[in-house]
């Protein structure tokens, strides 16, 4: 068997060397554009590549992903289950819920901006404005006025009269810190009932003279049992989605 394989390899290499095979080459030279059209094409390619690189970051800062993933992290710490559920599973669940919430907004952005641009009905600048508008409206609805005012004050800009007067460079950071505040508030409310369970268990152990036994080890099964009995995942995800405007 081995001898046959060697013979086949020798024959194939001989046949390959006997024939004249043209290997294609690629040229990566950088040169100045000869016409304005070439410059526009190069800039469009650069913009597309930049958007592909920044796409994961845009998902983090322009959607509800931040709220979901932080709340899930607080929940795992409140339960005290260490690495259960795994981080990858929590991140994927946050991504799925983010897609569920943002799908109507993404569809509206596609229908109003991207689709007409692909069909060559509108220009690039108008397509960008119409595509970003649904996301901008969503972020403003879920952003506190105090956070928007903070970045307007930092930029030393006048107060806007309409939503159209609020630039994306102000909306995005204000939306992020608003989401962080909301996520921490929900995380605090999640911690309270589990903290009470830990305190009750610790008090019982101290009264029984079992001070060397870690209270977390005893309270963990009770916290998991209560969370399952109240259908915690259903309640948490339902209220999380309901909290989004």
């Amino acid at each position: 068997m081995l001898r046959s394989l060697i013979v086949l390899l020798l024959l194939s290499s001989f046949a390959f060397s006997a024939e004249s095979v043209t290997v294609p080459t690629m040229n990566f030279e950088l040169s100045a554009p000869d016409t304005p059209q070439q410059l526009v094409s190069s800039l469009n390619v650069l913009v597309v590549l930049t958007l592909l690189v920044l796409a994961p970051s845009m998902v983090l800062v322009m959607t509800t992903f931040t709220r979901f993933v932080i709340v899930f992290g607080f929940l795992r710490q409140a339960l005290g289950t260490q690495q259960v559920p795994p981080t990858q599973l929590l991140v994927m669940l946050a991504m799925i819920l983010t897609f569920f919430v943002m799908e109507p907004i993404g569809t509206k952005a596609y229908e109003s901006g991207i689709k007409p641009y692909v069909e060559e009905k509108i220009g690039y600048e108008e397509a960008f404005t119409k595509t970003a508008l649904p996301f901008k409206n969503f972020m403003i609805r879920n952003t506190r006025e105090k956070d928007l005012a903070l970045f307007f004050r930092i930029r030393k800009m006048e107060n806007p009269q309409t939503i159209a007067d609020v630039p994306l460079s102000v909306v995005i950071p204000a939306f992020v810190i608003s989401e962080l505040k909301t996520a921490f508030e929900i995380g605090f409310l999640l911690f309270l009932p589990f903290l009470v369970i830990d305190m009750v268990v610790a008090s019982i152990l101290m009264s029984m003279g079992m001070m060397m036994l870690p209270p977390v080890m005893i309270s963990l099964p009770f916290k998991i049992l209560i969370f399952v009995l109240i259908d915690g995942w259903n309640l948490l995800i339902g209220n999380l989605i309901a909290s989004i405007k």
Side-chain angles (χ1 to χ4, degrees):
M1 182 68 179
L2 179 61
R3 184 179 301 176
S4 302
L5 289 174
I6 295 174
V7 172
L8 288 175
L9 288 174
L10 291 175
L11 290 175
S12 60
S13 61
F14 176 78
F16 181 81
S17 59
E19 297 179 359
S20 58
V21 179
T22 304
V23 180
T25 59
M26 301 181 68
N27 188 7
F28 294 97
E29 293 183 357
L30 296 176
S31 59
D34 298 329
T35 61
Q37 288 76 11
Q38 292 182 358
L39 176 61
V40 172
S41 300
S42 301
L43 291 177
N44 287 336
V45 173
L46 179 62
V47 169
V48 171
L49 292 177
T50 304
L51 290 177
L52 290 176
V53 173
L54 296 178
S57 301
M58 301 303 287
V59 169
L60 292 177
V61 299
M62 296 180 64
T63 65
T64 57
F65 178 81
T66 301
R67 182 183 306 191
F68 290 142
V69 76
I70 291 178
V71 170
F72 293 153
F74 275 123
L75 174 63
R76 187 170 65 182
Q77 291 184 11
L79 286 171
T81 54
Q82 301 300 325
Q83 296 299 320
V84 179
T87 302
Q88 295 85 347
L89 179 60
L90 293 180
V91 172
M92 286 304 300
L93 178 59
M95 288 292 296
I96 292 172
L97 293 176
T98 301
F99 176 80
F100 175 79
V101 172
M102 302 300 297
E103 190 268 339
I105 299 171
T107 301
K108 185 177 180 181
Y110 174 80
E111 293 291 338
S112 59
I114 298 177
K115 185 176 180 181
Y117 177 72
V118 172
E119 296 174 352
E120 299 182 354
K121 295 180 179 179
I122 57 177
Y124 173 78
E125 294 183 357
E126 185 179 358
F128 176 80
T129 302
K130 290 185 175 181
T131 302
L133 184 59
F135 291 95
K136 182 179 177 181
N137 293 335
F138 170 79
M139 289 187 288
I140 290 178
R141 288 198 306 269
N142 292 275
T143 303
R144 299 185 305 163
E145 294 183 3
K146 183 178 179 180
D147 296 328
L148 283 173
L150 170 65
F151 288 96
F152 271 98
R153 186 168 63 252
I154 294 174
R155 279 280 190 91
K156 298 180 180 179
M157 300 171 61
E158 296 182 356
N159 293 332
Q161 302 298 323
T162 61
I163 294 179
D165 298 332
V166 183
L168 280 175
S169 59
V170 172
V171 175
I172 293 176
F175 173 74
V176 172
I177 64 175
S178 293
E179 287 293 287
L180 288 174
K181 182 180 184 298
T182 303
F184 273 71
E185 289 176 346
I186 298 174
F188 172 75
L189 296 176
L190 280 175
F191 258 99
L192 286 180
F194 298 113
L195 181 61
V196 171
I197 296 175
D198 288 333
M199 293 175 64
V200 171
V201 172
S203 299
I204 294 175
L205 292 178
M206 289 184 64
S207 63
M208 297 175 61
M210 305 173 64
M211 293 178 292
M212 300 301 295
L213 185 64
V216 177
M217 183 182 301
I218 306 300
S219 63
L220 178 59
F222 291 100
K223 290 191 288 187
I224 295 176
L225 177 62
I226 292 175
F227 188 74
V228 172
L229 289 177
I230 65 173
D231 200 2
W233 286 109
N234 186 286
L235 288 175
L236 176 62
I237 293 176
N239 284 282
L240 272 177
I241 297 178
S243 67
I244 300 170
K245 300 178 183 178

